[in-house]
């Protein structure tokens, strides 16, 4: 290895360690390759720590080119019983709100680290996800996972991310905000999952408080099932949460297909929330997305979202359109740039804002 290559690795490694965090899943990558989430991630429902296959894919297929010798791959396994990983996202953000004005800032969007202790390899593990920024250090996942039947049936318990719909990189999408199920709001409970042939299914029982202390005797049930083929996939989700403030039930459909170098995917979610107002409220959110693999290491993302915040009120819908370009010049680094246009009721300036961002994403 050349001195320049060694220096680059040292600098990249120090930067990542300084800003280490958890890795996000991108649903379009699974649809693009025809694989399940569990193929690349230690967590069977996707997101978080990459396994050996996921790390190899990130270095050889996701990046435009690879620095260093081919045989020198980062697998995430630092010793026999311990795997580590992380990422960080540093942003420049611009926002223009009508009648308010524009603003821009630099910010660390998120920094997370993952640890997976495989105390009994391929059978029993203890997983931790710690967020270090922004704000104070916060534990977002801490659970024990036991593979009852290797690569087929598992159970896990503790603090975990709930199974519902797709895990988009952007937790601010309407479908993520509506369901309340994302990688910022885990819950405490247990989950049972099955990986059988083309099927992937999960069922979780949890407090239903988004990680906050339990406030009543009610519990939340979340379920997800997906059928995966090489060129397409389709799935359903369901959620039921019984609370003293009112019951909340929801259902969703999601799916994706690959057409040449383009992946088309979408999700639509419906909720009936009795905790909002005296008579409750029905809400609907949807997202459609197209990802074009322009070349290895280059992805162009176009997304359109629609949100109905109250089925009983006319002309209160909101939309959000996004155009994002993602460039992975070499392993462990990605540059993202994008614009977003919000459109809502004229009386709400914030619902009609324009946004732009530039992001440096480091991961391992």
């Amino acid at each position: 290895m050349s001195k320049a290559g060694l220096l680059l690795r040292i600098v990249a490694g120090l930067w990542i360690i300084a800003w280490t965090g958890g890795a996000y899943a991108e649903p379009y990558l699974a649809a693009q390759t025809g694989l399940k989430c569990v193929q690349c991630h230690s967590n069977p429902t996707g997101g978080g720590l990459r396994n050996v296959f996921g790390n190899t894919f990130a270095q050889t297929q996701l990046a435009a080119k690879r620095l260093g010798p081919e045989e020198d791959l980062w697998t995430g396994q630092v010793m026999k019983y311990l795997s580590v990983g992380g990422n960080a996202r540093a942003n420049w953000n611009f926002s223009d709100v009508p009648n308010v004005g524009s603003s821009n800032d630099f910010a660390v969007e998120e920094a997370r680290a993952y640890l997976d202790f495989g105390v009994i390899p391929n059978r029993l593990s203890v997983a931790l996800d710690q967020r270090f920024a922004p704000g104070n250090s916060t534990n977002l996942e801490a659970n024990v996972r036991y593979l009852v039947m290797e690569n087929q049936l598992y159970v896990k318990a503790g603090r975990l991310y709930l199974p519902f719909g797709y895990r988009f990189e952007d937790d601010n999408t309407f479908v993520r905000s509506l369901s309340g199920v994302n990688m910022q709001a885990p819950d405490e409970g247990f989950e049972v999952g099955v990986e059988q042939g083309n099927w992937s299914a999960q069922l979780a029982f949890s407090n239903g408080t988004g990680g906050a202390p339990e406030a009543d005797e009610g519990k939340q049930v979340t379920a997800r099932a997906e059928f995966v083929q090489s060129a397409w996939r389709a799935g359903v989700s369901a959620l039921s949460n019984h609370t003293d403030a009112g019951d909340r039930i929801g259902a969703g459909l999601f799916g994706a297909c690959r057409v040449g170098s383009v992946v088309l995917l979408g999700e639509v979610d419906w909720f009936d929330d009795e905790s909002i107002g005296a008579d409750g409220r029905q809400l609907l959110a949807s997202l459609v997305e197209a990802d074009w693999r322009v070349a290895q290491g280059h992805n162009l993302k176009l997304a359109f979202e629609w949100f109905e915040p109250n089925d009983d009120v006319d002309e209160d819908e909101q939309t959000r359109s996004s155009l994002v370009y993602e460039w992975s010049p070499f392993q462990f680094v990605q540059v993202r740039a994008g614009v977003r246009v919000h459109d809502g009721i004229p009386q709400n300036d914030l619902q009609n804002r324009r946004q732009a961002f530039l992001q440096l994403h480091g991961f391992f």
Side-chain angles (χ1 to χ4, degrees):
M1 182 187 301
S2 68
K3 292 183 178 179
L6 178 60
L7 178 60
L8 178 61
R9 288 191 172 207
I10 292 174
V11 172
L14 290 174
W15 184 84
I16 291 169
I17 291 171
W19 295 103
T20 187
Y24 284 103
E26 280 275 34
Y28 83 87
L29 288 173
Q32 190 178 79
T33 57
L35 302 174
K36 293 181 181 180
C37 298
V38 70
Q39 186 70 39
C40 290
H41 294 273
S42 297
N43 190 340
T45 53
L49 181 69
R50 296 173 180 86
N51 56 28
V52 174
F53 182 92
N55 276 308
T56 302
F57 175 86
Q59 296 168 79
T60 61
Q61 302 299 315
L62 183 63
K65 66 178 181 179
R66 189 177 181 282
L67 301 180
E70 291 296 328
E71 67 275 8
D72 189 13
L73 285 173
W74 164 261
T75 65
Q77 294 181 316
V78 295
M79 58 182 66
K80 182 178 179 180
Y81 301 105
L82 175 63
S83 296
V84 303
N87 82 356
R89 297 174 187 267
N91 281 21
W92 171 79
N93 302 302
F94 171 84
S95 180
D96 185 18
V97 181
N99 302 315
V100 175
S102 62
S103 63
N104 71 91
D105 66 349
F106 294 102
V108 175
E109 180 179 295
E110 192 166 57
R112 298 163 84 142
Y114 286 118
L115 297 176
D116 188 277
F117 299 90
V119 290
I120 303 179
N122 302 317
R123 187 64 75 173
L124 179 67
S125 64
V126 176
L128 300 175
D129 169 8
Q130 193 74 15
R131 183 177 64 192
F132 296 101
N136 297 325
S137 179
T138 305
N139 177 255
L140 292 179
E141 191 171 40
N143 58 67
V144 179
R145 182 170 65 247
Y146 176 62
L147 295 175
V148 181
M149 299 175 62
E150 189 172 348
N151 299 324
Q152 293 186 36
L153 175 65
Y154 72 87
V155 294
K156 63 180 177 180
R159 181 171 297 164
L160 45 88
Y161 301 122
L162 299 178
F164 190 94
Y166 278 137
R167 285 185 175 162
F168 295 102
E169 181 276 324
D170 182 9
D171 277 330
N172 293 316
T173 58
F174 290 148
V175 291
R176 297 295 84 203
S177 299
L178 174 58
S179 69
V181 176
N182 55 57
M183 295 189 73
Q184 309 298 324
D187 209 359
E188 295 183 357
F190 74 93
E191 175 183 305
V192 178
V194 176
E195 300 291 335
Q196 184 65 46
N198 299 108
W199 284 98
S200 177
Q202 302 85 32
L203 177 65
F205 293 85
S206 63
N207 288 332
T209 59
E214 179 61 281
D216 51 42
E217 295 183 354
K219 291 294 180 284
Q220 179 170 281
V221 180
T222 314
R224 180 186 188 274
E226 185 177 23
F227 184 75
V228 177
Q229 291 283 290
S230 61
W232 64 273
R233 60 195 57 211
V236 296
S237 302
L239 184 152
S240 176
N241 192 13
H242 177 69
T243 70
D244 290 345
D247 293 345
R248 186 170 186 262
I249 60 172
L253 298 173
F254 57 92
C257 67
R258 185 180 70 250
V259 183
S261 58
V262 176
V263 169
L264 304 174
L265 60 84
E267 179 174 340
V268 56
D269 297 329
W270 167 87
F271 274 79
D272 186 358
D273 195 340
E274 295 180 356
S275 66
I276 304 177
D279 299 323
R281 182 182 298 177
Q282 294 193 30
L283 310 92
L284 188 69
S286 62
L287 178 149
V288 292
E289 178 181 301
D291 287 88
W292 175 29
R293 190 177 189 267
V294 180
Q296 183 167 328
H298 298 264
N299 181 68
L300 180 64
K301 184 190 303 289
L302 178 63
F304 178 79
E305 304 170 57
W306 179 83
F307 177 48
E308 168 56 83
N310 191 341
D311 189 51
D312 293 329
V313 177
D314 293 330
E315 298 182 359
D316 63 339
E317 297 85 359
Q318 302 173 37
T319 64
R320 190 177 81 151
S321 303
S322 303
L323 180 65
V324 179
Y325 197 85
E326 300 169 331
W327 174 43
S328 303
F330 50 87
Q331 69 267 35
F332 308 133
V333 171
Q334 185 183 64
V335 179
R336 304 175 74 241
V339 293
R340 292 194 171 103
V341 177
H342 298 250
D343 186 20
I345 59 174
Q347 301 92 325
N348 191 318
D349 293 332
L350 195 61
Q351 291 182 11
N352 293 277
R353 66 190 184 277
R354 305 291 185 265
Q355 295 177 299
F357 72 92
L358 179 62
Q359 180 184 89
L360 176 62
H361 174 204
F363 62 91
F364 68 100

